Amino acid sequence: PTKAGLGGGSMNAASILKYFIKKKILNISKKKISEISRLIGSDVIFGLNPTNSILTSKNEVKYFKNIKNFYILIVKPDFGCSTKEIYSRVKKIHRTKFKQPSKKMFELKFLKKTENQLESIVFSKYPKLELIKSKLENINNPLFVRMTGSGSALVAYYNSKKKCENAKKKFRKKYKNYWCISSKT
């Protein structure tokens, strides 16, 4: 969905780039592909090879195998957030530097400690979104809940498919007009 903070525009750009490479319309090196991706957007590179990966502080992508999967419930309310507008409200950017990305960054203990620094900005503009996050935190005991990117979607993480599907049913009863889907990381 648009204005959900799910990187739709970046993934569309990555799909087009992948198509051009596959059809040999572009015959370029991996380094050049990386450069083009960065010019379009910092997260475009993730759409070229969607897997467990981290963008390092040197703008390099490091891939990881055999990562624990989670079941996720993604909810997008009946309103969206403009990335441009949300970032215009940022006073100071605190960039997390992943100098030495490791497999531990995909572990529950590490993920629970992370945060989306844009949440406070978005919640001050859209208090309803903070209320929805609170509701999600209380449905079937998720591991944690985070807002995606600059919003407005929220993701609840679960260990089991059954808990995730039950949470989806409960959420849909109360919020019938919201986009809601379950998936797996």
Side-chain angles (χ1 to χ4, degrees):
T2 59
K3 294 189 175 185
L6 294 169
S10 296
M11 296 309 105
N12 289 345
S15 295
I16 291 169
L17 191 54
K18 278 172 50 172
Y19 174 82
F20 286 157
I21 293 165
K22 182 179 177 182
K23 295 294 182 181
K24 307 236 187 280
I25 295 168
L26 286 176
N27 188 11
I28 54 178
S29 68
K30 286 185 179 183
K31 184 179 178 186
K32 191 68 177 168
I33 292 167
S34 184
E35 288 173 18
I36 291 169
S37 297
R38 260 194 304 270
L39 287 171
I40 299 167
S42 63
D43 55 352
V44 171
I45 196 76
F46 294 114
L48 297 176
N49 186 10
T51 186
N52 297 311
S53 53
I54 293 176
L55 187 62
T56 70
S57 57
K58 294 180 181 177
N59 271 342
E60 297 166 347
V61 180
K62 184 160 182 183
Y63 299 98
F64 297 89
K65 293 181 180 178
N66 303 319
I67 301 297
K68 180 186 178 357
N69 289 315
F70 296 100
Y71 294 91
I72 57 173
L73 176 61
I74 307 171
V75 171
K76 194 233 178 239
D78 56 359
F79 60 90
C81 299
S82 161
T83 300
K84 183 179 180 180
E85 182 182 343
I86 298 305
Y87 273 94
S88 74
R89 295 169 174 248
V90 173
K91 293 187 180 18
K92 185 176 181 183
I93 296 176
H94 302 279
R95 292 188 186 260
T96 304
K97 298 291 184 187
F98 296 132
K99 293 179 182 171
Q100 297 295 322
S102 69
K103 204 171 182 176
K104 78 171 178 93
M105 292 177 171
F106 293 92
E107 293 174 5
L108 180 59
K109 186 177 176 181
F110 180 86
L111 293 171
K112 283 177 115 172
K113 288 181 187 177
T114 63
E115 63 179 1
N116 181 341
Q117 295 175 13
L118 296 175
E119 280 187 8
S120 60
I121 295 168
V122 173
F123 293 167
S124 69
K125 180 161 176 59
Y126 301 100
K128 189 176 182 181
L129 197 57
E130 187 172 19
L131 177 69
I132 297 164
K133 180 181 179 183
S134 178
K135 296 281 186 196
L136 279 171
E137 289 172 331
N138 291 299
I139 298 177
N140 282 21
N141 197 25
L143 300 167
F144 60 96
V145 178
R146 293 281 183 282
M147 182 182 77
T148 60
S150 55
S152 65
L154 295 159
V155 182
Y157 292 76
Y158 294 90
N159 269 330
S160 81
K161 183 176 184 177
K162 184 177 180 178
K163 281 180 96 172
C164 186
E165 290 298 330
N166 285 338
K168 180 180 173 182
K169 287 176 189 171
K170 289 177 182 178
F171 188 85
R172 279 203 162 145
K173 278 184 184 178
K174 183 156 178 79
Y175 298 96
K176 293 174 177 45
N177 296 330
Y178 288 11
W179 182 84
C180 183
I181 190 168
S182 55
S183 189
K184 187 176 176 183
T185 60

